[in-house]
Amino acid sequence: MSTTTPLMRQYLEIKADYEDAILFFRLGDFYEMFMDDAVLASRVLGITLTSRNKGDADAIPLCGVPYHSSQGYIAKLIAEGHKVAICEQVEDPKAAKGIVKREVVKVVTPGLVTDTDTLEPKENNYLLAIAGQDSGYGISHIDITTGEFRVTQVETLAQVESELGSLRPREVLLNENESGRAIKKQIDSLLDGLMCSFLPEWSFEPDYVREQLCSFFGVSGLESFGCQELPAALQAASGVLFYLQQTQKGELRHIRPLQTYHTRSFMVLDESTRRNLELTATLLDGKKRGSLLGVLDRTVTAMGGRTLRHWIHYPLIDRDQILARQAAVAELVDESLQRIELIEALDGVYDLERLNSKIAMASANAKDLSALRSSLEKLPKLDDLLMPFGSTCLKEIRSRIDLLPELVELLDRAIVDDPPFVLRDGGIIKDGYNEELDELRTISREGKGWIAGLEQEEKERSGISSLKVKYNKVFGYFIEITRRHLDRIPEDYQRKQTLSNAERFITPRLKEYEAKVLGAEERMIDLEFNLFQEIRLTAATESRRIQQSAEALAELDALLSLADLAHERNYVAPQIDDSGIIRIEAGRHPVVEGMPLKEAFVPNDVHLDLEKNQLLIITGPNMAGKSTFMRQVALITLMAQLGSFVPAESARIGVVDRIFTRVGASDNLARGQSTFMVEMNETANILRHATSRSLIILDEIGRGTSTFDGISIAWAVAEYLHDNAQVAAKTLFATHYHELTDLALTRGRIKNYNVAVKEWNDQIIFLRKIVSGGASRSYGIQVGRLAGLPDTVISRAKEILRNLEAGEFIRAGEPRLGGSEKSPKKPENTQLSLFNTGLEDAFRARLESIDLSNTTPLEAMNILDDLKKLL
C-alpha cells in the first residue's frame, strides 16, 4: 500500500471493510471499480475493462459507470447475486484539503434493494432471518421499501419451509454457528437462487438481542411487541436489525414497530399446496396470469396488490375476522356506484408505502414529493366516499386515513407541479416560498436581461453589428468579435482568447456584473437544494402518519378488487361457520371459467362432512375434469376464508385449518428424489399433519410405482384417512384404481363419485358432471385416440385390454396380457397354473364392485353391457 497513490490507498482502506461486495467508488461524475471488482463487474455488466497506469507493470484493472445512470447497473449486479457497496464523496471537493473524504453510505443486497424502479410494484422484497433454538425456530422478515417488519416462532422445520414459500424472500440470514449451518443444509433446496449471509454468533446472544431491539425502537422492554417469551423469534428479529445497521448508514425511521404473528392464526398452506393450486403463479411458466391471484387482482395501487397477495398466502381461520371482511365486500358489491367512484378515486394514488420509505431514507427526489402531494390530495374525496358505509371493516379503514392537511399545504406551497429529476438542476421550489430565493431569481433573470441589453449597447458603441456576448463554463461571459472588425474595438476591451477567425474580450463592467449574476445562480441552486432537504425532512417526520394511511388504502383497494370481481362474475357470499361441512352448489373454478374454452364451463356440486361424506372416491377418465373439480373445491374454500365471495350458486364453508394437495409430481433432482419418492413424501406429510378440520386433495396416489403396489398404498391411505379419528379430514380422492370403489362397501363415510361421459361410435364425450357412483371404465384407450395415437396402436391396445378383462393367464400358463390372435401356438404345458383365473372371477369381481343403492337405470344398462363384453 505504501507504493500506491493517496487515492488508491483510500480505496484499499475502504475496500478492506467490504471484501464481499463490489465497491462503487465515487470519482466526480462516475462510480469507478478497481482490480478484481472491475474484472467481475465488466464481465457481468458488459462494459469496457481498462486499467489505471495502462502499460505499466503495476497497471490496475479499472471500469466505471456514470453515477446518474448507476441504478440500472446496480440492479443487474444484484440480480446476478452480488452485493454492491456505494462509496460517496462526503465533503465538497472545492473545500477539501488534499484527498476528498469518502465513505460507504449503504450496501445494496438482493434483500435490501431501495430503488423501487427495479422492483415488482405488487410484490414485496423481503430480507428474512432464521434462528434456531431448542424452543423452535424464529423467523423474521422485513421489506425495507415499505417498512413492514414481522416475526414469528414455529416448532418444526416444515413450518419454516412453509413460511419461506409464503414470503419468497430475496435474501436469507443465518447464524454462522453450527446450528445455523445445519438449518441451511436441511433447507438448502429451498434456498436455491437466494443470497444467504451468515451473521456472527455473538449477534444472537440473548443480552445483545434484547439490547439491540430495545435500543432501535426506543423502549425499555419488549412486552408491547408480544414476543418477549419467544427467544428464537427475538434472535431472528435482532439478526435483521444487525444486518440493517451494518449495511444502511442512513435513517431508518420508517421501519414499523415489530409485529408478532402466529402461524396458527392463519390457514396453513405448504409449498406443495401453493404450487398445485397455482395460487400466485402457474405451474407451467410461473406467471401470475392464469393463477388465482391473476383472477382476483383488480387492484389499482401497488400497495393494494401486495396486500391481496398477502391475504392469499395467509387465509384467515377466525370466523369473526372472515365475516367482518366478507361484510365489507358485500357492502361494496351492493353499492355499485360508490364502489366505482372509490376505484376511480384510488386510481392514480402512488405507492405511498415505498414513497414514504424513500423520504425517510433521504433518497426521495422532487418527483417523489410531487407524487406524495398528488396522492395525499385524493384522501379527502376517499374519506367522503367512505362516510356512508356501515360495515365495521370499512368504518375502521376510514378512521385510519389521515388527511395530513399541513403536509399537503406545505408541499403545495413549496414544490413546483412538474419538478426536474435532478436536484442540483434547480427549478424545484415555487416562487413565493422563500424570500431570499425569490431575490436571487430576480437577480438572475434581470442579470440575463441586462447582458442582452449590454450586447446591443456595445454594438452601437463600436459600430460592429456582428458583435456577440457569449458564455461558457471556462471563461464565463465574454464579447466575441470577428477578425475583420478588430480595428474597431473600443480601448477598454481586454483580450481574453484568440481563435482562428475571432477574438474574445472582456470589460470591467461585464466582469463585475458577471460575478453578481453567476454568484446569484450558484447561491440559488445551493439554497434550493437546502430548502428541498428541509421540506423532505419535514415529510419524513410524518412517516408514521403516511404509513397508517397507506395501510388503510391498501386494504380498501384489496376489498374493492374482491367486490368488483364478485359483482362482474356473479359470485355469492358463502355461509361461514365451524360446522366442519363444505357444501357447494353449482361451484365453478375461478380461473378456468374465465378462460376462452371451446365448451361452456359445467358447474358441479359437492358435499363433504365428518359424518357421512368424509372421503369421496372420484373415478373417471383422464381429461374428464376430476382435477379441475377438486382444485375448484379447494380454491372456493380458500377464497371463502379470504373473506371473498365465491363462484357458486350457494356455498357453506366450515372453516378449515389447512389445505393439503397431492396432485401430480415430478423428479426432484436437487434432492435426489424420484417421482414416486416425491409423491410418498408429500403423502406422508399429509398423514402426519392433517386434522379433522383439514381439507385434503389427493390425485392418483400410488401411480408412480407398480399397479399392485400402487393400489395397495392408495387403499391403505384411504383407510387411514377414514379410520384414524385424529386424521379424519374431509378428502377428495381421485383415482384410476377402480378397486378402491369397494371401500364404500365397508366404510360408512366413504362415497363413490365419477365424472360422467357418453360413448358414441367407440368415441367418448366428456360431460364434465360429477355424479354419484363409481366409474365402470377408465376409457384410457379412447383418450389415447383423442390424443392422436396411431390406429394400429389403438387396435392392439383394445386386444390387450380384452385379454386383461378375461383374466391374467390362460390355462396353459401363458400370460394372457401378451396373447394375440397372431401369436404362434405353443404346445400345452402339462403343469397346472397357479393363476387359473377364469371368466367366473372376472364376473364375480365386477358384480362385487356394483353399489346397487347408488346405481341409476342408465348406469345399470352400461354395467350389463360391460358384463356382456366379458363373454
Side-chain angles (χ1 to χ4, degrees):
M1 189 179 287
S2 61
T3 62
T4 61
T5 64
L7 181 71
M8 286 309 298
R9 280 200 298 273
Q10 184 187 53
Y11 171 83
L12 291 170
E13 288 170 357
I14 295 172
K15 176 62 182 174
D17 293 330
Y18 298 92
E19 293 180 352
D20 64 340
I22 296 173
L23 184 63
F24 269 40
F25 191 74
R26 180 74 176 269
L27 282 173
D29 289 341
F30 280 80
Y31 286 119
E32 303 285 4
M33 289 151 276
F34 300 100
M35 295 179 281
D36 291 344
D37 283 359
V39 175
L40 174 60
S42 67
R43 185 180 74 249
V44 174
L45 300 176
I47 58 178
T48 302
L49 179 68
T50 181
S51 62
R52 194 178 178 90
N53 305 326
K54 194 170 185 178
D56 294 352
D58 59 348
I60 298 171
L62 161 71
C63 69
V65 298
Y67 87 95
H68 57 79
S69 60
S70 62
Q71 291 296 347
Y73 295 106
I74 294 171
K76 193 168 183 179
L77 289 169
I78 296 302
E80 292 294 320
H82 302 288
K83 297 180 181 180
V84 178
I86 310 297
C87 180
E88 296 285 4
Q89 298 172 171
V90 293
E91 66 174 336
D92 187 347
K94 297 176 184 177
K97 295 180 179 179
I99 195 81
V100 176
K101 187 178 179 181
R102 293 178 174 84
E103 292 178 0
V104 170
V105 296
K106 69 176 177 179
V107 179
V108 185
T109 71
L112 295 175
V113 174
T114 55
D115 176 29
T116 55
D117 292 339
T118 63
L119 296 174
E120 285 293 329
K122 291 188 175 184
E123 294 183 23
N124 285 101
N125 192 73
Y126 287 128
L127 169 73
L128 182 143
I130 304 171
Q133 271 207 350
D134 294 338
S135 57
Y137 300 92
I139 304 169
S140 181
H141 62 270
I142 195 167
D143 184 343
I144 196 172
T145 68
T146 67
E148 177 187 341
F149 189 17
R150 303 172 78 227
V151 68
T152 190
Q153 185 165 307
V154 297
E155 297 176 0
T156 67
L157 211 55
Q159 291 172 296
V160 174
E161 293 177 346
S162 177
E163 285 302 285
L164 282 170
S166 293
L167 299 168
R168 297 195 178 280
R170 291 283 306 281
E171 185 176 1
V172 174
L173 308 175
L174 294 157
N175 193 332
E176 68 176 5
N177 67 3
E178 185 178 338
S179 172
R181 295 187 183 277
I183 292 172
K184 182 179 185 302
K185 186 176 181 180
Q186 290 171 294
I187 62 173
D188 206 42
S189 63
L190 290 175
L191 301 179
D192 185 39
L194 301 180
M195 177 175 283
C196 286
S197 301
F198 288 98
L199 306 182
E201 187 173 0
W202 59 262
S203 65
F204 289 83
E205 291 294 328
D207 290 343
Y208 176 82
V209 165
R210 289 185 176 274
E211 181 182 346
Q212 165 96 325
L213 289 166
C214 290
S215 173
F216 183 85
F217 289 111
V219 294
S220 58
L222 302 174
E223 290 76 15
S224 62
F225 300 129
C227 55
Q228 69 276 13
E229 302 300 329
L230 303 174
L234 292 175
Q235 286 183 326
S238 176
V240 167
L241 288 182
F242 175 84
Y243 194 66
L244 282 183
Q245 292 173 340
Q246 295 296 307
T247 57
Q248 309 299 305
K249 309 300 181 181
E251 288 283 347
L252 294 170
R253 69 177 75 203
H254 70 292
I255 301 300
R256 304 178 200 176
L258 185 62
Q259 180 186 357
T260 302
Y261 70 101
H262 300 283
T263 55
R264 62 178 178 271
S265 300
F266 304 96
M267 181 195 292
V268 178
L269 300 166
D270 58 28
E271 181 57 25
S272 174
T273 297
R274 290 191 191 89
R275 183 178 65 252
N276 292 330
L277 295 181
E278 298 182 300
L279 295 184
T280 57
T282 59
L283 279 168
L284 181 63
D285 55 13
K287 302 293 186 184
K288 174 182 170 183
R289 183 181 176 87
S291 69
L292 178 65
L293 178 62
V295 172
L296 298 186
D297 187 6
R298 297 186 169 199
T299 56
V300 294
T301 69
M303 48 196 176
R306 292 192 298 270
T307 295
L308 186 58
R309 176 183 288 267
H310 178 79
W311 286 359
I312 290 174
H313 280 303
Y314 291 91
L316 302 169
I317 61 172
D318 183 278
R319 177 177 173 272
D320 291 339
Q321 291 179 2
I322 296 169
L323 291 175
R325 198 180 283 173
Q326 186 189 97
V329 173
E331 197 169 9
L332 292 169
V333 169
D334 292 340
E335 302 295 339
S336 291
L337 291 178
Q338 288 91 329
R339 183 183 70 252
I340 293 169
E341 285 189 90
L342 281 167
I343 292 172
E344 290 174 350
L346 264 180
D347 195 12
V349 171
Y350 289 87
D351 193 339
L352 285 174
E353 288 182 323
R354 287 182 168 168
L355 281 176
N356 184 53
S357 298
K358 291 176 73 174
I359 292 167
M361 293 188 288
S363 63
N365 58 28
K367 289 282 188 187
D368 294 323
L369 289 191
S370 177
L372 175 65
R373 175 185 59 203
S374 67
S375 299
L376 295 180
E377 285 173 344
K378 294 177 179 291
L379 298 189
K381 183 174 182 180
L382 285 164
D383 182 68
D384 290 343
L385 288 171
L386 284 170
M387 188 181 298
F389 287 93
S391 71
T392 303
C393 193
L394 291 175
K395 288 170 69 175
E396 192 266 340
I397 285 174
R398 180 172 180 258
S399 71
R400 287 189 287 132
I401 296 177
D402 192 327
L403 303 184
L404 290 148
E406 305 89 353
L407 181 57
V408 173
E409 188 276 331
L410 170 65
L411 295 175
D412 186 56
R413 186 163 47 88
I415 305 296
V416 298
D417 293 336
D418 187 20
F421 282 100
V422 182
L423 295 179
R424 287 290 185 178
D425 283 355
I428 295 170
I429 307 299
K430 280 185 176 180
D431 288 338
Y433 177 73
N434 180 271
E435 186 176 340
E436 182 183 355
L437 179 61
D438 290 345
E439 290 176 1
L440 291 171
R441 283 176 172 168
T442 299
I443 291 172
S444 178
R445 284 193 294 266
E446 290 179 354
K448 290 176 181 177
W450 182 87
I451 287 172
L454 175 68
E455 181 180 275
Q456 186 60 36
E457 286 181 22
E458 291 301 316
K459 284 180 180 180
E460 294 173 358
R461 182 160 77 101
S462 65
I464 304 172
S465 60
S466 60
L467 179 149
K468 299 289 183 185
V469 178
K470 296 184 175 181
Y471 170 84
N472 66 34
K473 290 184 178 180
V474 177
F475 296 111
Y477 286 101
F478 54 84
I479 299 170
E480 186 174 284
I481 299 175
T482 57
R483 285 188 172 276
R484 58 187 291 233
H485 296 299
L486 291 179
D487 59 332
R488 299 165 66 184
I489 62 171
E491 293 182 0
D492 59 342
Y493 277 30
Q494 301 171 17
R495 182 174 281 103
K496 187 72 174 177
Q497 186 183 21
T498 301
L499 304 178
S500 59
N501 63 344
E503 296 273 352
R504 290 175 174 174
F505 301 90
I506 60 171
T507 67
R509 186 176 173 212
L510 177 61
K511 295 310 290 181
E512 178 184 346
Y513 212 85
E514 177 195 70
K516 183 177 182 180
V517 171
L518 295 184
E521 289 185 351
E522 188 173 330
R523 291 198 308 276
M524 183 171 63
I525 289 173
D526 287 342
L527 179 57
E528 268 205 83
F529 182 71
N530 292 334
L531 289 171
F532 173 79
Q533 287 185 307
E534 290 176 6
I535 296 164
R536 185 171 64 188
L537 184 61
T538 300
T541 61
E542 304 291 0
S543 174
R544 289 281 180 264
R545 296 172 66 189
I546 297 171
Q547 219 162 44
Q548 177 180 296
S549 292
E551 289 176 11
L553 295 181
E555 289 179 29
L556 175 62
D557 196 9
L559 291 169
L560 285 166
S561 179
L562 296 178
D564 199 53
L565 178 68
H567 178 266
E568 180 184 297
R569 294 198 176 178
N570 295 316
Y571 287 3
V572 298
Q575 177 184 344
I576 304 294
D577 56 39
D578 295 313
S579 64
I581 294 171
I582 294 178
R583 183 187 294 119
I584 300 168
E585 293 184 8
R588 314 185 301 275
H589 193 293
V591 179
V592 177
E593 75 160 340
M595 292 180 174
L597 303 173
K598 294 181 180 179
E599 54 189 282
F601 187 89
V602 178
N604 272 295
D605 302 340
V606 69
H607 178 76
L608 287 161
D609 57 42
L610 300 178
E611 296 175 356
K612 296 181 180 179
N613 301 277
Q614 179 219 325
L615 194 154
L616 309 187
I617 303 273
I618 303 170
T619 49
N622 286 316
M623 296 175 58
K626 298 190 301 296
S627 295
T628 298
F629 167 70
M630 294 193 299
R631 284 186 172 100
Q632 86 183 28
V633 172
L635 290 176
I636 287 172
T637 301
L638 186 144
M639 288 173 65
Q641 292 186 216
L642 296 182
S644 171
F645 281 26
V646 299
E649 287 186 4
S650 69
R652 178 184 182 185
I653 305 295
V655 174
V656 306
D657 60 356
R658 296 186 67 145
I659 295 177
F660 293 96
T661 63
R662 161 83 279 290
V663 180
S666 58
D667 292 347
N668 192 328
L669 299 179
R671 296 189 183 184
Q673 295 176 344
S674 68
T675 300
F676 184 62
M677 178 58 79
V678 172
E679 181 181 337
M680 290 299 97
N681 279 339
E682 292 181 359
T683 304
N685 177 60
I686 293 171
L687 299 183
R688 281 197 304 267
H689 297 105
T691 73
S692 59
R693 295 187 65 199
S694 302
L695 173 63
I696 301 175
I697 305 297
L698 297 176
D699 197 356
E700 306 298 338
I701 288 291
R703 67 179 174 181
T705 186
S706 70
T707 301
F708 290 145
D709 283 353
I711 291 174
S712 302
I713 291 171
W715 187 290
V717 167
E719 280 189 346
Y720 185 85
L721 288 171
H722 181 279
D723 298 345
N724 190 320
Q726 293 183 340
V727 194
K730 295 176 287 294
T731 304
L732 298 176
F733 196 134
T735 183
H736 284 293
Y737 298 140
H738 296 142
E739 293 82 356
L740 296 187
T741 59
D742 289 348
L743 281 162
L745 301 176
T746 58
R747 297 296 193 280
R749 298 191 306 279
I750 296 181
K751 297 292 184 291
N752 290 324
Y753 286 84
N754 72 91
V755 187
V757 297
K758 182 177 180 62
E759 290 187 80
W760 180 261
N761 291 334
D762 205 28
Q763 302 276 345
I764 56 171
I765 301 170
F766 300 122
L767 302 181
R768 313 294 185 193
K769 200 69 179 173
I770 305 295
V771 296
S772 178
S776 59
R777 301 169 61 189
S778 287
Y779 299 98
I781 294 174
Q782 286 85 345
V783 173
R785 185 196 298 276
L786 289 175
L789 288 179
D791 290 341
T792 53
V793 173
I794 296 296
S795 297
R796 178 58 176 150
K798 287 182 178 179
E799 188 175 36
I800 293 171
L801 179 60
R802 284 195 296 271
N803 294 336
L804 277 172
E805 289 176 337
E808 187 177 359
F809 290 83
I810 62 175
R811 291 180 183 276
E814 180 183 351
R816 192 179 297 274
L817 173 61
S820 170
E821 294 175 359
K822 300 177 182 178
S823 300
K825 302 300 180 184
K826 294 183 179 179
E828 193 166 297
N829 193 332
T830 56
Q831 183 175 341
L832 292 176
S833 170
L834 295 174
F835 302 93
N836 187 16
T837 56
L839 183 61
E840 310 94 293
D841 293 335
F843 263 90
R844 181 177 294 108
R846 186 68 186 92
L847 288 169
E848 287 177 349
S849 69
I850 300 170
D851 181 3
L852 290 176
S853 61
N854 289 302
T855 301
T856 65
L858 178 60
E859 289 169 341
M861 292 295 292
N862 287 332
I863 292 169
L864 285 174
D865 184 58
D866 290 341
L867 293 173
K868 185 176 179 181
K869 287 176 181 177
L870 284 177
L871 296 175

